[in-house]
Amino acid sequence: MMNIIAYIRESGRTKKERNGSVDAQEEHISRYAQKRGLLITTWIRDRDVEGTVPLKNRANGAKLCEELKPNDSIICTEPGVLFAHPYEAAQDIKLWESMNVRVHFISLGGEVFPKYTKLLLGFLSSMAAEEMLARIQKSYRTKALLKGEGK
């Protein structure tokens, strides 16, 4: 049986900024699924989890990864809810593609992959390279500052 899993994550910061973020995500996902005739079989929620924490390191994110079976679908509001970093996203996407898992990001218009996997992987690779370059540049700037201070 194919499962349709709705995944919601709310950070402590988001909770303070926008009261009811989990409720808003639930409402968006419910409306999206209803319009497309999809029946959500499982709701998975991570509360007070920052977006920098990889999916597999979140209590319920790990549960999502463990429970995901071939031909399942994941629905969430946006990529930032699901993924912490472009590199992690690319790894998960490749794995899920091999499992024929469908992922729907409402903010991107719906089902993103497998339809647009190659495009998305190219974009994520570019983001990961930019992120790595920024870290290297920051490291060099830090070393230069420390050297200038005689450390």
Side-chain angles (χ1 to χ4, degrees), residues 2-6 33 37-43 72-75:
M2 177 186 77
N3 291 311
I4 299 177
I5 303 165
L38 302 171
L39 178 62
I40 296 171
T41 55
T42 306
W43 287 87
D72 283 354
S73 291
I74 302 169
I75 302 174

Side-chain angles (χ1 to χ4, degrees), residues 2 6 19 24 28 40 44 59 61 71 80 83 93 95-96 99 104 111 116 118 124 129 134 141 143 146 149:
M2 177 186 77
N19 192 15
H28 287 307
I40 296 171
I44 296 180
N71 302 312
F83 302 121
I93 289 169
L95 171 64
W96 295 344
M99 296 170 61
H104 302 249
E111 186 179 322
Y116 304 110
K118 288 182 180 163
L124 290 169
R141 284 193 303 270
K143 286 177 185 176
L146 291 173
E149 295 174 3

